[in-house]
Amino acid sequence: AQSVAQPEDQVNVAEGNPLTVKCTYSVSGNPYLFWYVQYPNRGLQFLLKYITGDNLVKGSYGFEAEFNKSQTSFHLKKPSALVSDSALYFCAVRDNGNTGKLIFGQGTTLQVKP
Amino acid sequence: DADVTQTPRNRITKTGKRIMLECSQTKGHDRMYWYRQDPGLGLRLIYYSFDVKDINKGEISDGYSVSRQAQAKFSLSLESAIPNQTALYFCATSDFGRGSYNEQFFGPGTRLTVL
């Protein structure tokens, strides 16, 4: 069965420091991976995706993610965190069938402190 | 995403009541989805639809039904609401792209409380 795990419920980082939000996945075949962010009282916003090609994917708001096939990971990163980055982050993998369904991780709350 | 709207945004109801949540989109996408979000569980798929005549159950469809009234409209109904259906509900859309790996676009969510 396909699954996504986000091992940290919460990540705390000081403003200006680099941040990493972890994600590991389990799929058969090639993974199609996504990161979404949810700000309070808002829907999910797409950040970036990995389909194929370069292992380092760049997305919105200065975020990037590194795909590592051997470690089955797709960690979200940002070189310098902002207080406004504080939100709930979801990693997702596309279902292997032709449905377009996404399987989501549990979510990780990112808290950036001034 | 303003192109995907949900009504109502908040709803409090009582056990046994029938509730309908509505979703509309102006993105012209064929595919629409309903998810529920619970703390610590992420988002789980309730139903999805490829077009008006193609509706499919997701992983947690029990207690829910849907209607795809048009390409742009996809409604979720709780025929007889129960307290464990208290959650944040999201509608999403996606394009039928090659390989079906296009991202989904989410509405702002409906917070439903069942007393």
Side-chain angles (χ1 to χ4, degrees), chain B residues 5-7 18-25 32-34 46-49 55 64-79 89-91:
Chain B
T5 57
Q6 293 182 234
T7 56
R18 183 178 187 274
I19 295 295
M20 178 180 285
L21 309 183
E22 298 186 337
C23 176
S24 294
Q25 54 115 346
M32 298 186 74
Y33 307 81
W34 274 105
I46 306 172
Y47 270 94
Y48 62 102
S49 170
I55 293 176
Y64 301 95
S65 62
V66 292
S67 174
R68 186 83 182 265
Q69 300 95 324
Q71 187 206 34
K73 296 184 181 296
F74 192 36
S75 299
L76 176 72
S77 293
L78 288 68
E79 296 300 327
Y89 289 84
F90 286 106
C91 174

PDB file of all heavy atoms in Angstrom, chain B residues 5-7 18-25 32-34 46-49 55 64-79 89-91:
ATOM      1  N   THR B   5     -14.477  27.542  -4.638  1.00  0.00           N
ATOM      2  CA  THR B   5     -15.219  28.097  -3.514  1.00  0.00           C
ATOM      3  C   THR B   5     -16.050  27.015  -2.834  1.00  0.00           C
ATOM      4  O   THR B   5     -16.510  26.070  -3.488  1.00  0.00           O
ATOM      5  CB  THR B   5     -16.135  29.243  -3.955  1.00  0.00           C
ATOM      6  OG1 THR B   5     -17.029  28.755  -4.970  1.00  0.00           O
ATOM      7  CG2 THR B   5     -15.322  30.403  -4.522  1.00  0.00           C
ATOM      8  N   GLN B   6     -16.226  27.185  -1.545  1.00  0.00           N
ATOM      9  CA  GLN B   6     -17.003  26.242  -0.761  1.00  0.00           C
ATOM     10  C   GLN B   6     -18.002  27.000   0.093  1.00  0.00           C
ATOM     11  O   GLN B   6     -17.682  28.050   0.656  1.00  0.00           O
ATOM     12  CB  GLN B   6     -16.095  25.413   0.155  1.00  0.00           C
ATOM     13  CG  GLN B   6     -15.164  24.476  -0.579  1.00  0.00           C
ATOM     14  CD  GLN B   6     -14.328  23.642   0.365  1.00  0.00           C
ATOM     15  OE1 GLN B   6     -13.103  23.609   0.279  1.00  0.00           O
ATOM     16  NE2 GLN B   6     -14.985  22.930   1.279  1.00  0.00           N
ATOM     17  N   THR B   7     -19.204  26.458   0.181  1.00  0.00           N
ATOM     18  CA  THR B   7     -20.213  27.014   1.070  1.00  0.00           C
ATOM     19  C   THR B   7     -20.910  25.889   1.818  1.00  0.00           C
ATOM     20  O   THR B   7     -21.123  24.808   1.267  1.00  0.00           O
ATOM     21  CB  THR B   7     -21.274  27.817   0.274  1.00  0.00           C
ATOM     22  OG1 THR B   7     -21.849  26.974  -0.719  1.00  0.00           O
ATOM     23  CG2 THR B   7     -20.664  29.054  -0.352  1.00  0.00           C
ATOM     24  N   ARG B  18     -29.569  16.345   8.213  1.00  0.00           N
ATOM     25  CA  ARG B  18     -28.984  16.216   6.883  1.00  0.00           C
ATOM     26  C   ARG B  18     -28.257  17.513   6.541  1.00  0.00           C
ATOM     27  O   ARG B  18     -28.787  18.610   6.724  1.00  0.00           O
ATOM     28  CB  ARG B  18     -30.058  15.938   5.839  1.00  0.00           C
ATOM     29  CG  ARG B  18     -29.499  15.711   4.445  1.00  0.00           C
ATOM     30  CD  ARG B  18     -30.598  15.403   3.449  1.00  0.00           C
ATOM     31  NE  ARG B  18     -30.063  15.026   2.156  1.00  0.00           N
ATOM     32  CZ  ARG B  18     -29.729  15.892   1.201  1.00  0.00           C
ATOM     33  NH1 ARG B  18     -29.878  17.184   1.403  1.00  0.00           N
ATOM     34  NH2 ARG B  18     -29.244  15.470   0.057  1.00  0.00           N
ATOM     35  N   ILE B  19     -27.052  17.354   6.052  1.00  0.00           N
ATOM     36  CA  ILE B  19     -26.216  18.508   5.741  1.00  0.00           C
ATOM     37  C   ILE B  19     -25.661  18.389   4.333  1.00  0.00           C
ATOM     38  O   ILE B  19     -25.295  17.290   3.902  1.00  0.00           O
ATOM     39  CB  ILE B  19     -25.023  18.589   6.728  1.00  0.00           C
ATOM     40  CG1 ILE B  19     -25.522  18.845   8.134  1.00  0.00           C
ATOM     41  CG2 ILE B  19     -24.041  19.681   6.325  1.00  0.00           C
ATOM     42  CD1 ILE B  19     -26.186  20.187   8.303  1.00  0.00           C
ATOM     43  N   MET B  20     -25.633  19.503   3.605  1.00  0.00           N
ATOM     44  CA  MET B  20     -25.010  19.507   2.293  1.00  0.00           C
ATOM     45  C   MET B  20     -23.923  20.565   2.259  1.00  0.00           C
ATOM     46  O   MET B  20     -24.143  21.721   2.633  1.00  0.00           O
ATOM     47  CB  MET B  20     -26.027  19.791   1.184  1.00  0.00           C
ATOM     48  CG  MET B  20     -25.400  19.841  -0.212  1.00  0.00           C
ATOM     49  SD  MET B  20     -26.574  20.171  -1.524  1.00  0.00           S
ATOM     50  CE  MET B  20     -27.374  18.581  -1.636  1.00  0.00           C
ATOM     51  N   LEU B  21     -22.762  20.171   1.798  1.00  0.00           N
ATOM     52  CA  LEU B  21     -21.648  21.094   1.580  1.00  0.00           C
ATOM     53  C   LEU B  21     -21.463  21.238   0.071  1.00  0.00           C
ATOM     54  O   LEU B  21     -21.459  20.244  -0.652  1.00  0.00           O
ATOM     55  CB  LEU B  21     -20.360  20.547   2.210  1.00  0.00           C
ATOM     56  CG  LEU B  21     -20.443  20.099   3.669  1.00  0.00           C
ATOM     57  CD1 LEU B  21     -19.063  19.648   4.153  1.00  0.00           C
ATOM     58  CD2 LEU B  21     -21.007  21.170   4.553  1.00  0.00           C
ATOM     59  N   GLU B  22     -21.278  22.481  -0.356  1.00  0.00           N
ATOM     60  CA  GLU B  22     -21.217  22.721  -1.792  1.00  0.00           C
ATOM     61  C   GLU B  22     -19.845  23.232  -2.214  1.00  0.00           C
ATOM     62  O   GLU B  22     -19.169  23.937  -1.472  1.00  0.00           O
ATOM     63  CB  GLU B  22     -22.312  23.711  -2.193  1.00  0.00           C
ATOM     64  CG  GLU B  22     -23.711  23.179  -1.899  1.00  0.00           C
ATOM     65  CD  GLU B  22     -24.817  24.077  -2.407  1.00  0.00           C
ATOM     66  OE1 GLU B  22     -24.555  25.281  -2.581  1.00  0.00           O
ATOM     67  OE2 GLU B  22     -25.925  23.570  -2.620  1.00  0.00           O
ATOM     68  N   CYS B  23     -19.479  22.853  -3.412  1.00  0.00           N
ATOM     69  CA  CYS B  23     -18.201  23.260  -3.982  1.00  0.00           C
ATOM     70  C   CYS B  23     -18.424  23.687  -5.421  1.00  0.00           C
ATOM     71  O   CYS B  23     -19.092  22.980  -6.189  1.00  0.00           O
ATOM     72  CB  CYS B  23     -17.216  22.107  -3.927  1.00  0.00           C
ATOM     73  SG  CYS B  23     -15.628  22.447  -4.714  1.00  0.00           S
ATOM     74  N   SER B  24     -17.854  24.829  -5.776  1.00  0.00           N
ATOM     75  CA  SER B  24     -17.901  25.315  -7.146  1.00  0.00           C
ATOM     76  C   SER B  24     -16.509  25.710  -7.591  1.00  0.00           C
ATOM     77  O   SER B  24     -15.712  26.203  -6.793  1.00  0.00           O
ATOM     78  CB  SER B  24     -18.829  26.533  -7.264  1.00  0.00           C
ATOM     79  OG  SER B  24     -20.165  26.186  -6.996  1.00  0.00           O
ATOM     80  N   GLN B  25     -16.234  25.520  -8.874  1.00  0.00           N
ATOM     81  CA  GLN B  25     -14.918  25.891  -9.399  1.00  0.00           C
ATOM     82  C   GLN B  25     -15.051  26.566 -10.757  1.00  0.00           C
ATOM     83  O   GLN B  25     -15.950  26.239 -11.532  1.00  0.00           O
ATOM     84  CB  GLN B  25     -14.014  24.648  -9.490  1.00  0.00           C
ATOM     85  CG  GLN B  25     -14.620  23.497 -10.295  1.00  0.00           C
ATOM     86  CD  GLN B  25     -13.897  23.150 -11.549  1.00  0.00           C
ATOM     87  OE1 GLN B  25     -13.045  23.898 -12.042  1.00  0.00           O
ATOM     88  NE2 GLN B  25     -14.224  21.989 -12.116  1.00  0.00           N
ATOM     89  N   MET B  32     -12.805  16.454  -9.648  1.00  0.00           N
ATOM     90  CA  MET B  32     -13.097  17.099  -8.374  1.00  0.00           C
ATOM     91  C   MET B  32     -13.055  16.067  -7.259  1.00  0.00           C
ATOM     92  O   MET B  32     -13.357  14.893  -7.480  1.00  0.00           O
ATOM     93  CB  MET B  32     -14.453  17.809  -8.409  1.00  0.00           C
ATOM     94  CG  MET B  32     -14.506  18.924  -9.460  1.00  0.00           C
ATOM     95  SD  MET B  32     -15.997  19.903  -9.428  1.00  0.00           S
ATOM     96  CE  MET B  32     -15.736  20.908  -7.957  1.00  0.00           C
ATOM     97  N   TYR B  33     -12.685  16.544  -6.065  1.00  0.00           N
ATOM     98  CA  TYR B  33     -12.435  15.652  -4.932  1.00  0.00           C
ATOM     99  C   TYR B  33     -13.023  16.261  -3.660  1.00  0.00           C
ATOM    100  O   TYR B  33     -13.048  17.477  -3.515  1.00  0.00           O
ATOM    101  CB  TYR B  33     -10.922  15.469  -4.716  1.00  0.00           C
ATOM    102  CG  TYR B  33     -10.140  15.044  -5.933  1.00  0.00           C
ATOM    103  CD1 TYR B  33      -9.754  15.972  -6.894  1.00  0.00           C
ATOM    104  CD2 TYR B  33      -9.765  13.711  -6.107  1.00  0.00           C
ATOM    105  CE1 TYR B  33      -9.021  15.585  -8.013  1.00  0.00           C
ATOM    106  CE2 TYR B  33      -9.036  13.321  -7.231  1.00  0.00           C
ATOM    107  CZ  TYR B  33      -8.673  14.261  -8.170  1.00  0.00           C
ATOM    108  OH  TYR B  33      -7.944  13.870  -9.273  1.00  0.00           O
ATOM    109  N   TRP B  34     -13.410  15.394  -2.752  1.00  0.00           N
ATOM    110  CA  TRP B  34     -13.784  15.810  -1.397  1.00  0.00           C
ATOM    111  C   TRP B  34     -12.881  15.089  -0.402  1.00  0.00           C
ATOM    112  O   TRP B  34     -12.755  13.858  -0.441  1.00  0.00           O
ATOM    113  CB  TRP B  34     -15.239  15.486  -1.070  1.00  0.00           C
ATOM    114  CG  TRP B  34     -16.211  16.532  -1.513  1.00  0.00           C
ATOM    115  CD1 TRP B  34     -17.058  16.482  -2.575  1.00  0.00           C
ATOM    116  CD2 TRP B  34     -16.431  17.804  -0.890  1.00  0.00           C
ATOM    117  NE1 TRP B  34     -17.794  17.627  -2.663  1.00  0.00           N
ATOM    118  CE2 TRP B  34     -17.440  18.465  -1.639  1.00  0.00           C
ATOM    119  CE3 TRP B  34     -15.889  18.449   0.233  1.00  0.00           C
ATOM    120  CZ2 TRP B  34     -17.909  19.739  -1.296  1.00  0.00           C
ATOM    121  CZ3 TRP B  34     -16.352  19.713   0.568  1.00  0.00           C
ATOM    122  CH2 TRP B  34     -17.356  20.343  -0.194  1.00  0.00           C
ATOM    123  N   ILE B  46     -12.730  11.290   0.519  1.00  0.00           N
ATOM    124  CA  ILE B  46     -14.081  10.785   0.740  1.00  0.00           C
ATOM    125  C   ILE B  46     -14.678  10.284  -0.576  1.00  0.00           C
ATOM    126  O   ILE B  46     -15.124   9.133  -0.666  1.00  0.00           O
ATOM    127  CB  ILE B  46     -14.988  11.882   1.335  1.00  0.00           C
ATOM    128  CG1 ILE B  46     -14.374  12.474   2.606  1.00  0.00           C
ATOM    129  CG2 ILE B  46     -16.376  11.310   1.648  1.00  0.00           C
ATOM    130  CD1 ILE B  46     -15.123  13.684   3.132  1.00  0.00           C
ATOM    131  N   TYR B  47     -14.739  11.147  -1.571  1.00  0.00           N
ATOM    132  CA  TYR B  47     -15.237  10.814  -2.898  1.00  0.00           C
ATOM    133  C   TYR B  47     -14.446  11.613  -3.930  1.00  0.00           C
ATOM    134  O   TYR B  47     -13.901  12.668  -3.627  1.00  0.00           O
ATOM    135  CB  TYR B  47     -16.723  11.191  -3.038  1.00  0.00           C
ATOM    136  CG  TYR B  47     -17.711  10.137  -2.650  1.00  0.00           C
ATOM    137  CD1 TYR B  47     -18.250  10.109  -1.363  1.00  0.00           C
ATOM    138  CD2 TYR B  47     -18.143   9.185  -3.577  1.00  0.00           C
ATOM    139  CE1 TYR B  47     -19.176   9.144  -1.003  1.00  0.00           C
ATOM    140  CE2 TYR B  47     -19.066   8.214  -3.222  1.00  0.00           C
ATOM    141  CZ  TYR B  47     -19.584   8.198  -1.936  1.00  0.00           C
ATOM    142  OH  TYR B  47     -20.511   7.236  -1.574  1.00  0.00           O
ATOM    143  N   TYR B  48     -14.453  11.106  -5.167  1.00  0.00           N
ATOM    144  CA  TYR B  48     -13.886  11.858  -6.259  1.00  0.00           C
ATOM    145  C   TYR B  48     -14.687  11.596  -7.532  1.00  0.00           C
ATOM    146  O   TYR B  48     -15.364  10.579  -7.655  1.00  0.00           O
ATOM    147  CB  TYR B  48     -12.397  11.553  -6.453  1.00  0.00           C
ATOM    148  CG  TYR B  48     -12.054  10.124  -6.795  1.00  0.00           C
ATOM    149  CD1 TYR B  48     -11.747   9.743  -8.093  1.00  0.00           C
ATOM    150  CD2 TYR B  48     -11.998   9.153  -5.786  1.00  0.00           C
ATOM    151  CE1 TYR B  48     -11.406   8.439  -8.388  1.00  0.00           C
ATOM    152  CE2 TYR B  48     -11.662   7.846  -6.080  1.00  0.00           C
ATOM    153  CZ  TYR B  48     -11.363   7.494  -7.376  1.00  0.00           C
ATOM    154  OH  TYR B  48     -11.019   6.189  -7.665  1.00  0.00           O
ATOM    155  N   SER B  49     -14.553  12.549  -8.447  1.00  0.00           N
ATOM    156  CA  SER B  49     -15.362  12.495  -9.664  1.00  0.00           C
ATOM    157  C   SER B  49     -14.516  12.914 -10.854  1.00  0.00           C
ATOM    158  O   SER B  49     -13.822  13.939 -10.797  1.00  0.00           O
ATOM    159  CB  SER B  49     -16.560  13.427  -9.524  1.00  0.00           C
ATOM    160  OG  SER B  49     -17.240  13.579 -10.754  1.00  0.00           O
ATOM    161  N   ILE B  55     -18.434   8.958 -10.764  1.00  0.00           N
ATOM    162  CA  ILE B  55     -18.226   9.256  -9.345  1.00  0.00           C
ATOM    163  C   ILE B  55     -17.693   8.006  -8.675  1.00  0.00           C
ATOM    164  O   ILE B  55     -18.185   6.896  -8.924  1.00  0.00           O
ATOM    165  CB  ILE B  55     -19.533   9.729  -8.683  1.00  0.00           C
ATOM    166  CG1 ILE B  55     -19.932  11.082  -9.267  1.00  0.00           C
ATOM    167  CG2 ILE B  55     -19.385   9.806  -7.178  1.00  0.00           C
ATOM    168  CD1 ILE B  55     -21.239  11.618  -8.769  1.00  0.00           C
ATOM    169  N   TYR B  64     -21.408   9.242   3.823  1.00  0.00           N
ATOM    170  CA  TYR B  64     -21.392  10.392   2.923  1.00  0.00           C
ATOM    171  C   TYR B  64     -21.975   9.999   1.563  1.00  0.00           C
ATOM    172  O   TYR B  64     -21.934   8.840   1.174  1.00  0.00           O
ATOM    173  CB  TYR B  64     -19.970  10.898   2.698  1.00  0.00           C
ATOM    174  CG  TYR B  64     -19.238  11.324   3.937  1.00  0.00           C
ATOM    175  CD1 TYR B  64     -18.386  10.445   4.605  1.00  0.00           C
ATOM    176  CD2 TYR B  64     -19.371  12.612   4.437  1.00  0.00           C
ATOM    177  CE1 TYR B  64     -17.703  10.823   5.746  1.00  0.00           C
ATOM    178  CE2 TYR B  64     -18.682  13.018   5.574  1.00  0.00           C
ATOM    179  CZ  TYR B  64     -17.852  12.111   6.225  1.00  0.00           C
ATOM    180  OH  TYR B  64     -17.182  12.507   7.347  1.00  0.00           O
ATOM    181  N   SER B  65     -22.494  10.997   0.856  1.00  0.00           N
ATOM    182  CA  SER B  65     -22.866  10.822  -0.539  1.00  0.00           C
ATOM    183  C   SER B  65     -22.508  12.094  -1.277  1.00  0.00           C
ATOM    184  O   SER B  65     -22.282  13.137  -0.658  1.00  0.00           O
ATOM    185  CB  SER B  65     -24.364  10.518  -0.693  1.00  0.00           C
ATOM    186  OG  SER B  65     -25.135  11.600  -0.215  1.00  0.00           O
ATOM    187  N   VAL B  66     -22.426  12.003  -2.596  1.00  0.00           N
ATOM    188  CA  VAL B  66     -22.047  13.170  -3.391  1.00  0.00           C
ATOM    189  C   VAL B  66     -22.943  13.288  -4.611  1.00  0.00           C
ATOM    190  O   VAL B  66     -23.602  12.340  -5.018  1.00  0.00           O
ATOM    191  CB  VAL B  66     -20.569  13.115  -3.848  1.00  0.00           C
ATOM    192  CG1 VAL B  66     -19.618  13.268  -2.673  1.00  0.00           C
ATOM    193  CG2 VAL B  66     -20.311  11.848  -4.630  1.00  0.00           C
ATOM    194  N   SER B  67     -22.901  14.484  -5.173  1.00  0.00           N
ATOM    195  CA  SER B  67     -23.613  14.757  -6.415  1.00  0.00           C
ATOM    196  C   SER B  67     -22.773  15.690  -7.261  1.00  0.00           C
ATOM    197  O   SER B  67     -22.304  16.716  -6.779  1.00  0.00           O
ATOM    198  CB  SER B  67     -24.969  15.400  -6.110  1.00  0.00           C
ATOM    199  OG  SER B  67     -25.612  15.800  -7.297  1.00  0.00           O
ATOM    200  N   ARG B  68     -22.581  15.309  -8.521  1.00  0.00           N
ATOM    201  CA  ARG B  68     -21.859  16.178  -9.466  1.00  0.00           C
ATOM    202  C   ARG B  68     -22.907  16.777 -10.396  1.00  0.00           C
ATOM    203  O   ARG B  68     -23.290  16.193 -11.410  1.00  0.00           O
ATOM    204  CB  ARG B  68     -20.825  15.357 -10.241  1.00  0.00           C
ATOM    205  CG  ARG B  68     -19.944  16.191 -11.138  1.00  0.00           C
ATOM    206  CD  ARG B  68     -18.796  16.816 -10.402  1.00  0.00           C
ATOM    207  NE  ARG B  68     -17.973  17.656 -11.259  1.00  0.00           N
ATOM    208  CZ  ARG B  68     -16.864  17.264 -11.873  1.00  0.00           C
ATOM    209  NH1 ARG B  68     -16.439  16.008 -11.740  1.00  0.00           N
ATOM    210  NH2 ARG B  68     -16.182  18.112 -12.611  1.00  0.00           N
ATOM    211  N   GLN B  69     -23.347  17.964 -10.037  1.00  0.00           N
ATOM    212  CA  GLN B  69     -24.469  18.572 -10.753  1.00  0.00           C
ATOM    213  C   GLN B  69     -24.054  19.113 -12.121  1.00  0.00           C
ATOM    214  O   GLN B  69     -24.876  19.259 -13.023  1.00  0.00           O
ATOM    215  CB  GLN B  69     -25.079  19.707  -9.930  1.00  0.00           C
ATOM    216  CG  GLN B  69     -25.615  19.276  -8.570  1.00  0.00           C
ATOM    217  CD  GLN B  69     -24.602  19.483  -7.459  1.00  0.00           C
ATOM    218  OE1 GLN B  69     -23.400  19.305  -7.656  1.00  0.00           O
ATOM    219  NE2 GLN B  69     -25.079  19.864  -6.282  1.00  0.00           N
ATOM    220  N   ALA B  70     -22.809  19.462 -12.226  1.00  0.00           N
ATOM    221  CA  ALA B  70     -22.267  20.024 -13.460  1.00  0.00           C
ATOM    222  C   ALA B  70     -20.758  19.891 -13.368  1.00  0.00           C
ATOM    223  O   ALA B  70     -20.221  19.520 -12.331  1.00  0.00           O
ATOM    224  CB  ALA B  70     -22.673  21.487 -13.610  1.00  0.00           C
ATOM    225  N   GLN B  71     -20.068  20.199 -14.447  1.00  0.00           N
ATOM    226  CA  GLN B  71     -18.617  20.111 -14.401  1.00  0.00           C
ATOM    227  C   GLN B  71     -18.061  20.971 -13.278  1.00  0.00           C
ATOM    228  O   GLN B  71     -17.082  20.615 -12.634  1.00  0.00           O
ATOM    229  CB  GLN B  71     -17.995  20.563 -15.728  1.00  0.00           C
ATOM    230  CG  GLN B  71     -16.489  20.321 -15.763  1.00  0.00           C
ATOM    231  CD  GLN B  71     -15.759  21.266 -16.696  1.00  0.00           C
ATOM    232  OE1 GLN B  71     -16.135  22.418 -16.845  1.00  0.00           O
ATOM    233  NE2 GLN B  71     -14.718  20.776 -17.320  1.00  0.00           N
ATOM    234  N   ALA B  72     -18.721  22.093 -13.020  1.00  0.00           N
ATOM    235  CA  ALA B  72     -18.187  23.053 -12.059  1.00  0.00           C
ATOM    236  C   ALA B  72     -18.681  22.844 -10.634  1.00  0.00           C
ATOM    237  O   ALA B  72     -18.231  23.549  -9.731  1.00  0.00           O
ATOM    238  CB  ALA B  72     -18.526  24.471 -12.518  1.00  0.00           C
ATOM    239  N   LYS B  73     -19.583  21.926 -10.390  1.00  0.00           N
ATOM    240  CA  LYS B  73     -20.212  21.811  -9.072  1.00  0.00           C
ATOM    241  C   LYS B  73     -20.186  20.372  -8.562  1.00  0.00           C
ATOM    242  O   LYS B  73     -20.584  19.447  -9.270  1.00  0.00           O
ATOM    243  CB  LYS B  73     -21.653  22.312  -9.122  1.00  0.00           C
ATOM    244  CG  LYS B  73     -21.772  23.790  -9.450  1.00  0.00           C
ATOM    245  CD  LYS B  73     -23.208  24.237  -9.396  1.00  0.00           C
ATOM    246  CE  LYS B  73     -23.348  25.719  -9.755  1.00  0.00           C
ATOM    247  NZ  LYS B  73     -22.662  26.588  -8.766  1.00  0.00           N
ATOM    248  N   PHE B  74     -19.779  20.253  -7.306  1.00  0.00           N
ATOM    249  CA  PHE B  74     -19.644  18.937  -6.685  1.00  0.00           C
ATOM    250  C   PHE B  74     -20.049  19.077  -5.228  1.00  0.00           C
ATOM    251  O   PHE B  74     -19.378  19.768  -4.460  1.00  0.00           O
ATOM    252  CB  PHE B  74     -18.191  18.474  -6.813  1.00  0.00           C
ATOM    253  CG  PHE B  74     -17.936  17.030  -6.486  1.00  0.00           C
ATOM    254  CD1 PHE B  74     -18.837  16.041  -6.797  1.00  0.00           C
ATOM    255  CD2 PHE B  74     -16.727  16.658  -5.907  1.00  0.00           C
ATOM    256  CE1 PHE B  74     -18.572  14.705  -6.535  1.00  0.00           C
ATOM    257  CE2 PHE B  74     -16.442  15.320  -5.631  1.00  0.00           C
ATOM    258  CZ  PHE B  74     -17.361  14.351  -5.948  1.00  0.00           C
ATOM    259  N   SER B  75     -21.148  18.437  -4.843  1.00  0.00           N
ATOM    260  CA  SER B  75     -21.686  18.601  -3.498  1.00  0.00           C
ATOM    261  C   SER B  75     -21.479  17.348  -2.670  1.00  0.00           C
ATOM    262  O   SER B  75     -21.565  16.233  -3.193  1.00  0.00           O
ATOM    263  CB  SER B  75     -23.182  18.918  -3.561  1.00  0.00           C
ATOM    264  OG  SER B  75     -23.418  20.109  -4.262  1.00  0.00           O
ATOM    265  N   LEU B  76     -21.246  17.556  -1.398  1.00  0.00           N
ATOM    266  CA  LEU B  76     -21.078  16.452  -0.438  1.00  0.00           C
ATOM    267  C   LEU B  76     -22.227  16.511   0.554  1.00  0.00           C
ATOM    268  O   LEU B  76     -22.522  17.571   1.103  1.00  0.00           O
ATOM    269  CB  LEU B  76     -19.753  16.613   0.306  1.00  0.00           C
ATOM    270  CG  LEU B  76     -19.461  15.606   1.413  1.00  0.00           C
ATOM    271  CD1 LEU B  76     -19.148  14.232   0.811  1.00  0.00           C
ATOM    272  CD2 LEU B  76     -18.284  16.077   2.271  1.00  0.00           C
ATOM    273  N   SER B  77     -22.874  15.372   0.779  1.00  0.00           N
ATOM    274  CA  SER B  77     -23.992  15.313   1.719  1.00  0.00           C
ATOM    275  C   SER B  77     -23.717  14.336   2.844  1.00  0.00           C
ATOM    276  O   SER B  77     -23.121  13.280   2.631  1.00  0.00           O
ATOM    277  CB  SER B  77     -25.276  14.887   1.003  1.00  0.00           C
ATOM    278  OG  SER B  77     -25.707  15.874   0.099  1.00  0.00           O
ATOM    279  N   LEU B  78     -24.161  14.739   4.024  1.00  0.00           N
ATOM    280  CA  LEU B  78     -24.186  13.852   5.176  1.00  0.00           C
ATOM    281  C   LEU B  78     -25.665  13.608   5.449  1.00  0.00           C
ATOM    282  O   LEU B  78     -26.389  14.525   5.855  1.00  0.00           O
ATOM    283  CB  LEU B  78     -23.527  14.494   6.392  1.00  0.00           C
ATOM    284  CG  LEU B  78     -22.008  14.654   6.395  1.00  0.00           C
ATOM    285  CD1 LEU B  78     -21.535  15.659   5.363  1.00  0.00           C
ATOM    286  CD2 LEU B  78     -21.534  15.050   7.777  1.00  0.00           C
ATOM    287  N   GLU B  79     -26.129  12.414   5.157  1.00  0.00           N
ATOM    288  CA  GLU B  79     -27.563  12.137   5.242  1.00  0.00           C
ATOM    289  C   GLU B  79     -28.074  12.218   6.669  1.00  0.00           C
ATOM    290  O   GLU B  79     -29.172  12.685   6.927  1.00  0.00           O
ATOM    291  CB  GLU B  79     -27.867  10.773   4.641  1.00  0.00           C
ATOM    292  CG  GLU B  79     -27.567  10.682   3.153  1.00  0.00           C
ATOM    293  CD  GLU B  79     -28.378  11.682   2.317  1.00  0.00           C
ATOM    294  OE1 GLU B  79     -29.537  11.988   2.687  1.00  0.00           O
ATOM    295  OE2 GLU B  79     -27.847  12.172   1.297  1.00  0.00           O
ATOM    296  N   TYR B  89     -13.601  20.113   6.051  1.00  0.00           N
ATOM    297  CA  TYR B  89     -13.825  19.466   4.765  1.00  0.00           C
ATOM    298  C   TYR B  89     -13.295  20.346   3.636  1.00  0.00           C
ATOM    299  O   TYR B  89     -13.571  21.554   3.595  1.00  0.00           O
ATOM    300  CB  TYR B  89     -15.320  19.207   4.556  1.00  0.00           C
ATOM    301  CG  TYR B  89     -15.853  18.119   5.455  1.00  0.00           C
ATOM    302  CD1 TYR B  89     -16.252  18.415   6.766  1.00  0.00           C
ATOM    303  CD2 TYR B  89     -15.939  16.806   5.011  1.00  0.00           C
ATOM    304  CE1 TYR B  89     -16.720  17.408   7.606  1.00  0.00           C
ATOM    305  CE2 TYR B  89     -16.404  15.798   5.846  1.00  0.00           C
ATOM    306  CZ  TYR B  89     -16.788  16.109   7.137  1.00  0.00           C
ATOM    307  OH  TYR B  89     -17.247  15.116   7.967  1.00  0.00           O
ATOM    308  N   PHE B  90     -12.564  19.702   2.741  1.00  0.00           N
ATOM    309  CA  PHE B  90     -11.995  20.414   1.607  1.00  0.00           C
ATOM    310  C   PHE B  90     -12.456  19.811   0.297  1.00  0.00           C
ATOM    311  O   PHE B  90     -12.510  18.599   0.129  1.00  0.00           O
ATOM    312  CB  PHE B  90     -10.458  20.349   1.634  1.00  0.00           C
ATOM    313  CG  PHE B  90      -9.829  21.216   2.667  1.00  0.00           C
ATOM    314  CD1 PHE B  90      -9.289  20.670   3.815  1.00  0.00           C
ATOM    315  CD2 PHE B  90      -9.772  22.589   2.496  1.00  0.00           C
ATOM    316  CE1 PHE B  90      -8.708  21.468   4.787  1.00  0.00           C
ATOM    317  CE2 PHE B  90      -9.188  23.404   3.444  1.00  0.00           C
ATOM    318  CZ  PHE B  90      -8.656  22.836   4.590  1.00  0.00           C
ATOM    319  N   CYS B  91     -12.746  20.710  -0.636  1.00  0.00           N
ATOM    320  CA  CYS B  91     -12.977  20.340  -2.013  1.00  0.00           C
ATOM    321  C   CYS B  91     -11.712  20.672  -2.803  1.00  0.00           C
ATOM    322  O   CYS B  91     -11.007  21.645  -2.474  1.00  0.00           O
ATOM    323  CB  CYS B  91     -14.162  21.147  -2.549  1.00  0.00           C
ATOM    324  SG  CYS B  91     -14.503  20.953  -4.302  1.00  0.00           S
TER     325      CYS B  91
END
